[in-house]
Amino acid sequence: DQQVKQNSPSLSVQEGRISILNCDYTNSMFDYFLWYKKYPAEGPTFLISISSIKDKNEDGRFTVFLNKSAKHLSLHIVPSQPGDSAVYFCAAYTDKLIFGTGTRLQVFP
Amino acid sequence: ETGVTQSPTHLIKTRGQQVTLRCSSQSGHNTVSWYQQALGQGPQFIFQYYREEENGRGNFPPRFSGLQFPNYSSELNVNALELDDSALYLCASSQPPWTEAFFGQGTRLTVV
């Protein structure tokens, strides 16, 4: 069973607009979450994380929101840039990283 | 500071053969984790090595085995290869508390 779910396999956004990537999890014991970005032929690159004691964490253009009651987190990218086009993975950390299936973001001019 | 490097980048093997993949961890990191990423899926945890000992394992059969060396580099060995073993194998290095891992570029294994 998939403990971390990314239900949107792809997302297309115009440059300058907001990109919102969503992630749901099933285990209420998860208390640390990360977002990774992956370009083709490269390994995943850490983007931003959030602990369950927070409901928001910002780093430049990237903000992650956590809704523990809904077991839902989202990554906001504002403004979106063409270089943001990649596959984004949500992950929960327990004693290992548990990844979602990824969302492919395409930012077009 | 050197990043995580994996070798080889691509590999083609025949069903039933054995394969060894290698990973050099990032400078200062004493933990290496291995992940398998099948097409269209997220990475799946195989196992983790901390100070040369396996300290966590995912739902993979015993024909997946590993080693970590005193310099913290690591190997992933897969015996009796099956077609479903075709995937991208990712190595990640970290250090306690292990909440953030740094990935290599991966090894693309194709089993024919």
Side-chain angles (χ1 to χ4, degrees):
Chain A
D1 61 335
Q2 192 75 21
Q3 298 187 71
V4 177
K5 302 176 186 178
Q6 294 177 258
N7 292 319
S8 298
S10 64
L11 176 67
S12 189
V13 172
Q14 189 173 31
E15 181 179 6
R17 306 294 289 263
I18 184 171
S19 295
I20 300 176
L21 296 93
N22 293 304
C23 177
D24 297 295
Y25 60 96
T26 57
N27 190 335
S28 58
M29 298 300 291
F30 290 163
D31 61 4
Y32 196 82
F33 303 90
L34 306 91
W35 285 93
Y36 280 84
K37 178 168 76 171
K38 187 179 185 301
Y39 294 118
E42 294 184 14
T45 303
F46 169 75
L47 200 54
I48 192 169
S49 62
I50 189 166
S51 165
S52 61
I53 62 173
K54 293 184 167 184
D55 54 17
K56 177 182 172 182
N57 188 27
E58 282 183 86
D59 184 0
R61 297 186 296 115
F62 302 91
T63 302
V64 56
F65 295 91
L66 175 62
N67 182 334
K68 291 184 286 294
S69 61
K71 297 194 192 70
H72 176 83
L73 63 157
S74 60
L75 174 68
H76 294 209
I77 306 173
V78 183
S80 301
Q81 299 173 353
D84 295 329
S85 298
V87 177
Y88 289 77
F89 291 99
C90 168
Y93 179 78
T94 57
D95 54 353
K96 58 184 178 287
L97 287 170
I98 302 172
F99 286 89
T101 52
T103 296
R104 181 176 301 279
L105 172 66
Q106 182 181 8
V107 180
F108 59 92
Chain B
E1 181 181 279
T2 56
V4 181
T5 57
Q6 293 186 241
S7 63
T9 54
H10 295 85
L11 201 52
I12 299 175
K13 287 287 190 178
T14 303
R15 190 172 51 182
Q17 284 188 313
Q18 178 265 344
V19 69
T20 298
L21 310 182
R22 294 179 175 83
C23 172
S24 294
S25 61
Q26 185 165 306
S27 177
H29 286 182
N30 55 19
T31 303
V32 171
S33 307
W34 287 91
Y35 291 80
Q36 180 196 66
Q37 186 182 7
L39 201 60
Q41 301 296 317
Q44 299 288 315
F45 176 74
I46 303 175
F47 44 56
Q48 177 171 291
Y49 280 83
Y50 170 57
R51 292 185 174 179
E52 302 178 59
E53 297 286 332
E54 185 182 296
N55 77 332
R57 190 178 181 93
N59 189 26
F60 281 81
R63 59 189 184 83
F64 286 77
S65 63
L67 278 175
Q68 188 179 32
F69 299 100
N71 66 354
Y72 303 129
S73 66
S74 177
E75 287 182 354
L76 164 66
N77 299 290
V78 188
N79 293 322
L81 284 166
E82 301 176 359
L83 297 179
D84 285 349
D85 296 332
S86 295
L88 179 68
Y89 287 85
L90 294 162
C91 164
S93 79
S94 59
Q95 53 189 355
W98 301 306
T99 49
E100 292 174 16
F102 296 85
F103 285 84
Q105 83 281 12
T107 293
R108 173 73 61 188
L109 173 66
T110 302
V111 182
V112 297

